[in-house]
Amino acid sequence: MKKSIKVSTVIFNVIKYLSLIIASLVAIIPVVVCVLTAFKTNEEYASTSVLTAPKSWLYFENFKIAIEKANMLRGFLNTAIVLVVVLACSVLISAMLAYVLNRFSFPGRGMIENLFLFASLLPGIAMQVTIYKIMYWLGFINHLYGYMVVLMGTDIISIYIFLQFFENLPVSLDESAIMDGCTYFGVFFRILFPLLKPAIMTTLVLKGVSVYNEYYASSLYLTLPELKTISTALYTFTGPYGNQYNYICAGVLITIIPLLIFFLVFQKQVYSGMAAGAVKG
């Protein structure tokens, strides 16, 4: 009996670690290929396999061409502006909406929550025709502020994150503050909002990565060259006659650098925010 249990345990461990190794390879190989390709000349890329190492790791011409031809510095600037505005507004609007829905009783509150849930189930691509007509009618096409409004208007997940955290904040905090003469705005900004740091961090991570990597809306609503974001700038090297993957891979590595720096600097806050978000509610 003990022997059979031991054999089954060994088999289970082998399958477990084998699956982990395969999953790790699936995740790592594309990154390795991207790094190898970024340092290859045009001749090397055309004559070698994707897993062949470049002759020189000091060949940075691809990175220079990617920055200059794709105008990546302008893309970084536009993306930074969009990130700051969208994240600040999304956190504030989502937290305030969650505060109203959680703390106040009014006719139609349940319907509003159900509408938010229903909207989250709809595929975004199915609503793009209607959204594009509204954007065109408002004159928001080819304007960064119009693009920001679109990104802020699709933030249902953040509302539910804040709703879960408000469920764990006792109403007695609000009542005590109001008895001390605090207004509802004071209760939110002075008492409750500082307690939402884990939810804010979770929202910033999820929303920030989504906005930074967003391509479809930026390619649809920002068609002018000076309005390119960092995700659309990389498509400079794609065309009907072929794709210049050595330049694209160099650009991809450049776009990873800001996220890597952010993670290394704020990894403690990122882990604490995600862990708290996983157990709240």
Side-chain angles (χ1 to χ4, degrees):
M1 185 67 180
K2 292 183 178 180
K3 186 176 181 180
S4 61
I5 295 175
K6 186 175 181 181
V7 171
S8 62
T9 304
V10 171
I11 294 175
F12 174 77
N13 289 333
V14 169
I15 295 174
K16 180 177 67 174
Y17 288 112
L18 186 62
S19 62
L20 290 174
I21 292 172
I22 294 174
S24 300
L25 290 175
V26 170
I28 292 174
I29 287 178
V31 179
V32 173
V33 170
C34 185
V35 173
L36 295 176
T37 305
F39 289 92
K40 290 182 179 180
T41 63
N42 292 329
E43 293 76 15
E44 280 185 275
Y45 175 73
S47 60
T48 60
S49 69
V50 292
L51 291 176
T52 303
K55 293 181 180 178
S56 174
W57 289 98
L58 300 177
Y59 183 76
F60 297 104
E61 189 66 22
N62 292 338
F63 296 89
K64 180 180 178 182
I65 294 174
I67 293 174
E68 293 178 352
K69 287 191 175 182
N71 199 8
M72 294 187 68
L73 295 180
R74 182 68 184 185
F76 274 120
L77 177 61
N78 291 335
T79 302
I81 295 172
V82 171
L83 266 175
V84 171
V85 175
V86 170
L87 292 181
C89 293
S90 293
V91 168
L92 187 61
I93 294 172
S94 300
M96 294 178 74
L97 277 172
Y99 171 64
V100 172
L101 292 174
N102 181 262
R103 289 300 204 254
F104 297 93
S105 297
F106 53 90
R109 186 184 71 170
M111 184 184 69
I112 293 174
E113 291 184 2
N114 291 331
L115 286 175
F116 278 131
L117 178 61
F118 177 73
S120 66
L121 299 176
L122 292 174
I125 193 70
M127 299 181 287
Q128 285 305 318
V129 173
T130 304
I131 295 175
Y132 189 88
K133 288 182 178 179
I134 296 173
M135 293 280 288
Y136 181 80
W137 181 70
L138 293 174
F140 283 175
I141 305 295
N142 283 327
H143 293 287
L144 279 180
Y145 56 80
Y147 176 61
M148 295 174 190
V149 170
V150 170
L151 296 182
M152 286 187 290
T154 55
D155 203 25
I156 300 169
I157 301 300
S158 298
I159 297 174
Y160 279 100
I161 291 175
F162 283 107
L163 276 173
Q164 289 181 355
F165 273 82
F166 272 115
E167 290 289 341
N168 293 274
L169 296 179
V171 183
S172 58
L173 292 174
D174 307 43
E175 296 172 347
S176 301
I178 292 174
M179 289 180 63
D180 290 337
C182 203
T183 63
Y184 288 119
F185 283 98
V187 171
F188 176 76
F189 286 105
R190 295 181 181 180
I191 308 299
L192 300 180
F193 194 72
L195 300 176
L196 296 174
K197 288 181 180 179
I200 293 172
M201 197 64 214
T202 304
T203 303
L204 289 178
V205 171
L206 297 177
K207 187 70 176 179
V209 173
S210 175
V211 172
Y212 190 80
N213 293 329
E214 201 283 322
Y215 170 75
Y216 180 79
S218 59
S219 64
L220 186 62
Y221 301 115
L222 303 176
T223 58
L224 298 179
E226 62 270 19
L227 295 178
K228 283 184 177 181
T229 60
I230 195 62
S231 59
T232 55
L234 295 177
Y235 282 79
T236 303
F237 304 107
T238 63
Y241 300 106
N243 301 324
Q244 298 169 296
Y245 285 110
N246 49 339
Y247 302 144
I248 294 174
C249 290
V252 168
L253 294 184
I254 295 173
T255 59
I256 291 175
I257 292 174
L259 289 178
L260 183 62
I261 294 174
F262 173 82
F263 178 78
L264 293 176
V265 174
F266 298 102
Q267 58 180 327
K268 183 178 179 180
Q269 291 82 354
V270 170
Y271 283 135
S272 62
M274 295 297 289
V279 299
K280 290 285 182 180

